[in-house]
Each structure stands twice: as structure tokens, then as C-alpha cells.
């Protein structure tokens, strides 16, 4: 009882909210997290974020984070890359964390007066989240499911080199470290090709195989599926070695992540590059829908009580965000949001039934374009304009990274189901990679304002109620 009293007292004296930020590769996690810190610490105009709009946000500052064994999110480096060099920061390939002390005035009522919220943000690759599904599988089931996955449309050619080696493996052969490493390398090459192929939005675990961090080369990351496994696997066989390392991966990599980080999240945002999937075709969109459903199945969700918040916290708000909305004219933003809602509709119903709130939003954490009009004969097309990165090609012109281009990206169908039915021809949308916007410091040398689209709406959903 004493421990409970002390813990509940800490919770009441120093309110803390733990926010998880994740998403699959190239979804914009690092940009979102950098922009979140920027707008909270600089208190720029945020019309949809009530504490800022109502003048109640006093200040926010970075303070030492609570977990000393987790790398600090390098905000300063990422912000400098965006504003000084106009380069997008490097992608998230490991877990990181920061803490913001947010000082605010309460909205009124019996709790009126100043307050402080400690916002702990944990940024991690979405591929790691999908690894949680491995906890419910054994090596045989995982091998069978992974090999069966190569039979999906568009994967045969990508999987061919790995499957050729796989066919030569005898699961009952004597344990062979060199052969195990060859098999693992071939499997990892297949996973890398999947990411770079037409289904780049999809993912096949283990997530650490492509983002190993400090585990690169370790035995726990040196295994692969094997076909035609016997009912009983001999410990001293090749299959026995692979099975042992699969179990080590779960015990040494997946379980600690779940226990030490993921299980403690109160709120979660999942960033999604919907546009890349749409441009890749209906198979990629279906893959994305499946991956997002797997993400929500992995989340520990539900309505929090005082007890659960102290001893078994659950994510009580989940926000899915379709990123890179600035690549479309604003007239298509509602269609992008509707498509995202369709992709997560099944998972949303399940999550809301557990007592959690689920939202969707189409946003651009940092807006790299402005809206304009281009003319195609007598027709005026709603377009976006920005500075394409060096080497990008628009209408046959190769850009040098300094000149602006106006691009008609195409339009999403008014009916989101049409995307899954193949209404958008693969490769028909035009999404060049634009450089970050030019941002100049003000007369006092303070950082300039990073433009955004609906980032403030995301902030309101995720933390606004805790600053009321």
C-alpha cells in the first residue's frame, strides 16, 4: 500500500504523459517529432491547438529525460538540417526519447491556475512494433507464414534469389554457422528488396533485420526461415540452430522493447505514407491496410484508470496520420483522410470497443510546398509548387535543388474504395521529393516558423485534453 500511495502521489503532483511516435519506413517520424518540439518550444501560432490559441501555453522547454539508457532524440541536429541546410533529417533507425516540461494556465473551474505537464516522447521504428506479433508464433509457424508470403502478387521475382538458396537447405543437416549466416544474409536481402520494391509500404518481420542498430552481426539477428521443417526439430541440426536464434530474438530483442518502452505508452501516433501506397497500386494499398491492422493488434489499448496508469498503462488515444499532405492540393486533403479512415476502419472499430479513442488526420509536419494553378491548354489545374531536390525529374527536366517547379500531382478518387479497386493507375501520381522550405530567423535571431498542415490538430488530439 505504501508503494501505491507513493506512486499515486507522484502522479498527482507531477502529471506525466508518455507519447509514442511510430510509423513504417519513410513515413516522416523524425520530421514530425522535430516539428512537434519546435512548435511547442517556440509557441508559434497553432489555431487548432487550444492551449496555444487561447493564450494559455506559457512555455515548453527540453529537460533531462527519465530513461538514461535510451538515446536522446537529437532535435538540434534535425532542426539545423531542416532550417540551415534545407535537408530532410535522416530516418529513424533506433529508439530515442526526449522530455518536454510544458507550463500552461488551466482553462478554469476548480483547477484554475498554473500547471506543468511532463511530456515524454518515445520515437521508434514501426517495423519494431510489428515484431510484437512474433511473440505469439513459434519458429515453424513463422517460417511457414514468411515463405507463404512470397507467393503474393509481385513478390516472386523479388524473392527468387532467396528462394533458390532456401531450396538447397536441408533442415536436418548438421549445425553449420557459415551456412546459417549465408541463409540469413539472403533472407535479409529479400527483406531489403521488398522495402525498395513496389510494396515499399509493407513490412515483413523481423524488423531489426533491416534496422539492427547495436545488434548488427549478433547471433540473435542471424537466422532465417527454413522450408519442410520436421515435426520434431533436432537441437544439433541446422533447423535447431535457426529455431534457437529465433527464440533468442524474441527473448532478447522483442520482449525487452515491449516491457521497457512500448507497454508504458499512454498515447500513440502512427504516421502513414498513404500516397506512396496509392502510387504503387492496389496491391500495395492492401498490404498497407494489413500492416496497419497488425499495428493496432499490437497496441495495448483501452480506457485508463488510476490503477492501470500506475501499473499497467494502456494507450487510450491512437491517432493515424497520413503524412505528406502538402504533396496534394488542399482540395484533395479530405479524400486522403477518407482513404486513411477506410484503411484503418476495421481496426478502429475494434479499438473503440476497447474504450480507446481513435482519430485520423491528413497532415504535413513541415510544409514544403505552396498551392498554385497550372494551365493545360484551356484547363486550369490545381497544383503545388516547391523546390525539388537535386536530381529530381519533373516533365523531363532534371532539377538542381535551387529552382522551383509547379506540379499537378493528380487527384485521389472521391470514393476511397475506388483506390482498392484499381482506379489509380500505378505510377500515375506525381510526387517529386521537395526540399524543406526556406526559413529565416527573425530580427532577434530567433528560429523562424516552420509551416505545417494540421500538425496543430494532431497536437490537440494527442495532448490537448491534458493541458485543459
Amino acid at each position: 500500500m505504501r508503494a501505491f500511495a507513493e506512486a499515486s502521489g507522484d502522479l498527482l503532483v507531477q502529471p506525466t504523459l508518455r507519447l509514442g511516435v511510430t510509423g513504417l519506413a519513410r513515413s516522416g517520424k523524425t520530421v514530425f517529432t522535430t516539428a512537434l518540439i519546435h512548435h511547442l518550444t517556440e509557441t508559434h501560432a497553432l489555431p487548432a491547438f487550444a492551449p496555444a490559441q487561447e493564450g494559455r501555453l506559457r512555455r515548453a522547454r527540453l529537460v533531462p529525460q527519465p530513461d538514461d539508457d535510451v538515446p536522446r532524440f537529437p532535435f538540434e541536429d534535425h532542426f539545423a538540417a531542416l532550417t540551415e541546410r534545407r535537408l530532410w533529417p535522416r530516418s529513424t533507425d533506433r529508439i530515442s526519447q526526449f522530455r518536454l516540461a510544458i507550463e500552461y494556465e488551466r482553462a478554469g473551474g476548480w483547477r484554475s491556475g498554473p500547471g506543468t505537464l511532463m511530456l515524454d516522447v518515445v520515437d521508434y521504428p514501426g517495423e519494431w512494433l510489428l515484431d510484437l506479433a512474433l511473440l505469439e508464433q513459434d519458429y515453424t509457424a513463422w517460417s511457414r507464414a514468411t515463405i507463404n508470403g512470397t507467393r503474393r502478387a509481385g513478390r516472386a521475382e523479388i524473392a527468387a534469389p532467396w528462394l533458390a538458396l532456401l531450396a538447397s537447405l536441408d533442415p536436418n543437416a548438421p549445425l553449420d554457422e557459415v551456412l546459417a549466416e549465408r541463409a540469413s544474409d539472403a533472407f535479409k536481402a529479400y527483406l531489403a528488396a521488398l522495402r525498395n520494391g513496389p510494396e515499399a509500404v509493407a513490412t515483413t518481420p523481423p524488423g531489426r533485420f533491416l534496422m539492427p542498430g547495436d545488434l548488427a552481426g549478433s547471433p540473435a539477428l542471424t537466422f532465417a526461415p527454413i522450408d519442410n521443417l520436421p515435426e520434431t526439430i533436432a537441437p544439433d541440426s541446422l533447423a535447431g540452430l535457426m529455431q534457437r536464434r529465433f527464440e533468442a530474438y524474441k527473448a532478447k530483442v522483442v520482449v525487452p522493447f515491449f516491457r521497457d518502452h512500448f507497454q508504458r505508452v499512454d498515447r500513440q501516433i502512427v504516421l502513414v505514407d498513404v500516397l506512396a501506397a496509392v502510387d504503387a497500386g492496389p496491391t500495395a494499398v492492401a498490404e498497407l491496410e494489413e500492416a496497419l491492422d497488425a499495428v493496432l493488434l499490437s497496441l495495448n489499448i483501452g480506457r485508463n484508470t488510476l490503477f492501470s496508469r500506475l501499473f499497467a498503462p494502456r494507450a487510450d488515444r491512437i491517432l493515424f496520420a497520413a503524412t505528406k499532405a502538402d504533396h496534394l492540393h488542399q482540395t484533395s486533403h479530405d479524400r486522403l483522410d477518407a482513404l486513411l479512415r477506410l484503411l484503418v476502419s476495421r481496426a478502429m472499430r475494434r479499438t473503440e470497443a476497447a474504450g480507446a479513442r481513435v482519430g485520423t488526420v491528413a497532415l504535413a509536419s513541415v510544409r514544403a510546398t505552396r498551392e498554385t494553378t497550372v494551365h493545360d491548354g484551356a484547363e486550369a489545374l490545381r497544383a503545388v509548387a516547391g523546390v525539388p531536390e537535386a536530381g529530381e525529374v519533373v516533365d523531363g527536366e532534371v532539377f538542381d535543388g535551387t529552382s522551383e517547379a509547379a506540379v499537378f500531382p493528380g487527384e485521389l478518387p472521391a470514393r476511397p474504395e475506388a483506390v482498392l479497386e484499381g482506379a489509380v493507375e500505378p505510377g500515375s501520381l506525381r510526387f517529386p521529393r521537395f526540399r524543406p522550405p526556406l526559413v529565416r530567423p527573425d530580427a532577434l535571431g530567433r528560429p523562424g516558423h516552420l509551416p505545417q498542415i494540421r500538425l496543430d490538430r494532431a497536437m490537440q488530439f494527442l495532448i490537448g485534453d491534458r493541458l485543459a
Side-chain angles (χ1 to χ4, degrees):
M1 287 299 295
R2 179 180 178 184
F4 178 85
E6 290 177 351
S8 59
D10 289 344
L11 184 70
L12 294 173
V13 169
Q14 186 59 76
T16 301
L17 182 68
R18 193 172 179 90
L19 171 65
V21 178
T22 196
L24 302 181
R26 298 186 291 273
S27 59
K29 298 178 291 295
T30 304
V31 177
F32 171 86
T33 307
T34 302
L36 177 70
I37 298 173
H38 165 68
H39 285 287
L40 284 172
T41 56
E42 299 299 330
T43 60
H44 290 297
L46 298 166
F49 186 46
Q53 178 64 13
E54 296 166 3
R56 296 187 293 102
L57 188 62
R58 300 175 62 187
R59 70 167 180 164
R61 53 195 171 87
L62 285 163
V63 296
Q65 64 194 53
D67 299 318
D68 292 333
D69 58 340
V70 179
R72 179 181 180 273
F73 181 80
F75 164 71
E76 296 80 5
D77 293 342
H78 293 325
F79 187 74
L82 282 169
T83 59
E84 296 174 14
R85 301 188 297 278
R86 295 183 67 189
L87 298 174
W88 297 108
R90 64 182 184 275
S91 299
T92 300
D93 60 2
R94 62 176 183 172
I95 193 168
S96 63
Q97 183 187 71
F98 68 86
R99 167 173 277 191
L100 276 174
I102 305 175
E103 300 175 16
Y104 65 101
E105 290 289 334
R106 296 187 174 89
W110 67 274
R111 293 192 312 126
S112 61
T116 300
L117 175 70
M118 291 297 181
L119 178 64
D120 294 332
V121 178
V122 182
D123 177 60
Y124 61 93
E127 288 79 359
W128 295 9
L129 185 61
L130 295 180
D131 274 355
L132 296 180
L134 298 178
L135 296 177
E136 299 179 359
Q137 292 182 300
D138 60 21
Y139 176 70
T140 299
W142 171 73
S143 291
R144 185 181 301 117
T146 303
I147 294 169
N148 286 341
T150 64
R151 301 187 178 98
R152 294 185 178 184
R155 288 194 178 186
E157 184 177 351
I158 293 174
W162 171 51
L163 293 179
L165 177 63
L166 182 65
S168 70
L169 299 179
D170 177 4
N172 298 308
L175 184 154
D176 187 329
E177 290 273 5
V178 175
L179 187 56
E181 189 170 340
R182 281 181 54 208
S184 181
D185 288 345
F187 177 55
K188 290 168 185 171
Y190 161 67
L191 296 181
L194 267 185
R195 171 176 293 177
N196 296 324
E199 297 173 14
V201 295
T203 183
T204 298
R208 290 290 185 101
F209 274 27
L210 296 182
M211 297 179 177
D214 56 1
L215 293 173
S218 70
L221 268 63
T222 309
F223 63 91
I226 294 184
D227 209 357
N228 302 315
L229 290 166
E231 195 167 314
T232 302
I233 298 176
D236 58 350
S237 65
L238 178 64
L241 175 66
M242 297 294 197
Q243 181 185 52
R244 185 166 65 252
R245 289 181 174 175
F246 174 78
E247 294 299 330
Y249 181 85
K250 292 196 296 182
K252 304 295 185 181
V253 178
V254 182
V255 169
F257 168 68
F258 176 76
R259 180 190 64 232
D260 299 337
H261 305 294
F262 176 71
Q263 196 176 34
R264 298 161 55 196
V265 166
D266 302 306
R267 305 274 168 93
Q268 179 72 58
I269 180 169
V270 181
L271 301 163
V272 188
D273 189 352
V274 176
L275 295 179
V278 172
D279 197 39
T283 299
V285 176
E287 287 280 342
L288 177 61
E289 180 181 22
E290 184 176 306
L292 293 176
D293 194 54
V295 166
L296 262 187
L297 280 172
S298 301
L299 292 172
N300 187 29
I301 56 177
R303 185 177 294 109
N304 267 312
T305 63
L306 177 62
F307 183 86
S308 69
R309 192 174 296 165
L310 290 168
F311 299 110
R314 291 176 284 185
D316 59 7
R317 291 196 181 194
I318 317 292
L319 180 64
F320 287 93
T323 57
K324 305 175 185 177
D326 56 333
H327 285 55
L328 294 173
H329 192 276
Q330 64 173 334
T331 52
S332 288
H333 290 181
D334 286 346
R335 297 182 179 187
L336 178 59
D337 185 43
L339 177 57
L340 177 61
R341 291 187 69 83
L342 174 66
L343 296 180
V344 300
S345 58
R346 178 176 51 183
M348 285 178 68
R349 289 192 296 271
R350 184 172 60 245
T351 303
E352 289 170 344
R357 285 191 59 188
V358 184
T360 60
V361 64
L363 59 75
S365 304
V366 174
R367 182 175 187 167
T369 67
R370 58 181 177 83
E371 293 177 348
T372 187
T373 302
V374 297
H375 294 274
D376 183 11
E379 186 179 7
L381 302 175
R382 294 163 174 164
V384 295
V387 178
E389 291 188 348
E392 289 289 306
V393 180
V394 179
D395 289 335
E397 180 181 356
V398 180
F399 279 77
D400 60 4
T402 61
S403 303
E404 187 176 78
V407 178
F408 173 63
E411 294 182 337
L412 297 178
R415 189 172 64 89
E417 292 83 358
V419 174
L420 289 166
E421 297 164 1
V424 180
E425 184 179 348
S428 62
L429 300 178
R430 302 169 69 198
F431 301 127
R433 187 172 171 86
F434 293 101
R435 293 184 66 189
L438 179 63
V439 177
R440 301 185 187 279
D442 64 16
L444 298 177
R446 294 172 298 191
H449 170 63
L450 281 174
Q452 49 86 19
I453 298 175
R454 300 184 193 89
L455 175 66
D456 50 349
R457 187 180 300 180
M459 293 165 63
Q460 178 63 27
F461 181 88
L462 291 167
I463 65 174
D465 64 310
R466 297 294 295 273
L467 297 172

